[in-house]
Amino acid sequence: MPFLVETYHHIIKEVEPLDVTLVAVSKTKPLIDILDAYQFGAKDFGENYVQELVEKYEAGPKDIRWHFIGHLQSNKVKYIAPFVYLIHGVDSEKLLIEINKQGKKINRKINCLLQVHIAQEETKFGLDVNELKQIMQHLDQFEYVNVLGLMGMASFSDDQEIVMKEFKILKQIFDTYHHQDAFKNTFKILSMGMSADYKIAIAQGSNMIRIGSSIFGERIKHH
Ligand SMILES: *Cc1c(COP(=O)(O)O)cnc(C)c1O
């Protein structure tokens, strides 16, 4: 399925006045779909797989802002460190240390979001509140990382109440740091909401949504 331009414009019209950034999640989709979206003004694209991201970066327009939204393995940080615009899923201190190390090597400060576990499913990655606190307490240790905020994924559920409550919790956690003097100039992004739940996420205070299937069509399941 090609890029669904009408849906894209519909969502953009809805979120732009609210200062919410739409990240077009293009994972598994061919470059031609990305170019299509780019022509209609999309500049932020999200990918989940390192090799796929590198290939698309090399072939695509150089002013695209590439977001890495998947689970990132430490040994692969080096491939995306030179160009990635924002890494959403930092879910361990070990990973943060590696990002800092790779940033230092190339003298580039790398933008990151810390991923917080809010869903009921065990399988979703993320820090718990204590792990987050640990990291936030010595952020200045990571000279080559800009921690710009938080990312989270709600439970995969038809129950909107559950989803709403999980986003609400993440917003509260976000606010505790966002309102601290030490962070208030840098800690500004709250990435939550996907095709199925972005309206709920925005109502709970999201300012960055990651939209894939609504604008690029369903993905092939196995990927
Ligand atoms: C795939 C993915 C999305 C996009 O999901 P859709 O339901 O297709 O909008 C958003 N966030 C993350 C972390 C993803 O892996």
Side-chain angles (χ1 to χ4, degrees), residues 94-107:
K94 176 173 170 255
L95 179 56
L96 202 60
I97 290 169
E98 178 63 20
I99 295 169
N100 190 62
K101 184 176 142 193
Q102 294 301 330
K104 185 171 185 180
K105 261 193 201 166
I106 56 174
N107 193 27

Side-chain angles (χ1 to χ4, degrees), residues 4-42:
L4 302 167
V5 61
E6 279 176 29
T7 313
Y8 173 73
H9 278 149
H10 177 85
I11 300 176
I12 281 288
K13 257 198 204 145
E14 192 180 350
V15 307
E16 243 178 17
L18 305 170
D19 269 332
V20 173
T21 303
L22 190 164
V23 177
V25 176
S26 47
K27 64 184 178 212
T28 80
K29 298 295 175 180
L31 185 67
I32 189 157
D33 290 2
I34 292 175
L35 295 177
D36 231 4
Y38 179 84
Q39 288 205 329
F40 286 106

